[in-house]
Amino acid sequence: MQELKLGKYLTLAEFSTCTHTYHKYAQYINPFPQNGAEIIPALQELNKFIIDPIIDNYGRDNFQLTYGFCSADLKKFLERKDPITGEKNGRVAPKLDQHMSYEINKNGKYYCERLGAACDFMIADVSSNHLIDWILQSKLPFDSLYFYGSQRPIHISYGFQHKRDIWTFGSKGQPTKKGIENWVKMAKEIHNKNQ
C-alpha cells in the first residue's frame, strides 16, 4: 500500500511521510490512512486534478512536497511542543485544512467535515506568487489555497466544493484577503464562469 501511486508521480508513502515532524518522531507515528477506502480516492483526485498538472508544468525534480496527508498520530505530534525549543512542532487546523481528508476520529466523526484532501508544497526557484498566478491562469479546480509568503510553501486542497477560496495570513497569523485582492477577484471570476 505504501508504494501505491496516487497519480503520475507521487506515492502514498511520499504523501504520508514528507513532514519534518514525521521524520523527527517516525518511530512513534503511523503516518498512513486508517480510512483508506475514502482517503485514497480523495488523495488520487488531489493528485490528478492539482498536483499532476503542476508537476507536468514545472518538473518532478522541482516539486517539493512539505506536508501531505496527516494521520491521527501525526496530528498528535504536530500539536505537541518540541522539548528543546518549546515551540510547537507544527501548525495544525484539522477541522479546516483538509490534510486529514476523510480520517475518522474515535467518535466515528470526520476530523474535517470539509472532506477532500490537501497538501503544502513549493517549486524550486519559483516564487509562490508566480506559482499562484500559474495555478489561477491554468484554472485548476482547487477548493482552498493559502499563501504564506513568496518564499514559503503554498497550501492547496481539492474537494467537492471547488470554492476556489484564497487566503493569506496577517502578522499574528489571522486569515485575511488583504493584499491578495487580485487573486481573489480572478478566482471568483473563474468560479462564477464554471457555475
Side-chain angles (χ1 to χ4, degrees), residues 8 38 53 78 112-113 164:
K8 291 197 247 180
E38 290 183 283
L78 285 167
C112 181
E113 292 180 4
R164 299 183 67 80

Side-chain angles (χ1 to χ4, degrees), residues 35-189:
N35 182 19
E38 290 183 283
I39 294 170
I40 299 302
L43 296 177
Q44 288 171 327
E45 287 186 339
L46 172 66
N47 278 262
K48 178 180 178 180
F49 295 109
I50 305 292
I51 296 172
D52 286 353
I54 290 168
I55 295 176
D56 285 344
N57 187 66
Y58 291 103
R60 176 64 182 98
D61 291 342
N62 295 319
F63 183 86
Q64 301 167 359
L65 185 66
T66 59
Y67 187 16
F69 172 71
C70 180
S71 69
D73 282 356
L74 178 59
K75 174 185 168 293
K76 288 178 200 169
F77 280 88
L78 285 167
E79 291 172 334
R80 292 181 185 170
K81 290 185 178 179
D82 181 284
I84 296 168
T85 66
E87 299 286 323
K88 280 183 80 173
N89 287 314
R91 288 191 315 235
V92 61
K95 292 183 179 179
L96 299 174
D97 66 22
Q98 296 166 285
H99 282 285
M100 293 191 81
S101 190
Y102 287 77
E103 199 66 283
I104 297 171
N105 66 25
K106 62 186 172 197
N107 298 322
K109 307 268 189 209
Y110 293 119
Y111 281 96
C112 181
E113 292 180 4
R114 295 184 60 215
L115 305 174
C119 68
D120 294 12
F121 70 94
M122 299 178 69
I123 301 294
D125 301 322
V126 175
S127 75
S128 291
N129 303 58
H130 290 287
L131 178 57
I132 292 172
D133 287 340
W134 184 87
I135 288 168
L136 290 171
Q137 289 162 5
S138 300
K139 300 179 181 171
L140 298 186
F142 64 87
D143 190 23
S144 292
L145 192 154
Y146 304 160
F147 174 70
Y148 298 111
S150 63
Q151 302 305 311
R152 299 201 46 213
I154 67 163
H155 165 96
I156 196 164
S157 69
Y158 180 87
F160 63 91
Q161 296 171 322
H162 302 307
K163 293 185 314 188
R164 299 183 67 80
D165 204 8
I166 303 177
W167 295 92
T168 190
F169 297 86
S171 59
K172 295 180 181 172
Q174 74 280 15
T176 181
K177 294 185 184 284
K178 189 173 182 179
I180 60 167
E181 290 87 359
N182 285 343
W183 287 336
V184 171
K185 181 181 176 191
M186 184 188 280
K188 187 176 276 188
E189 287 170 358

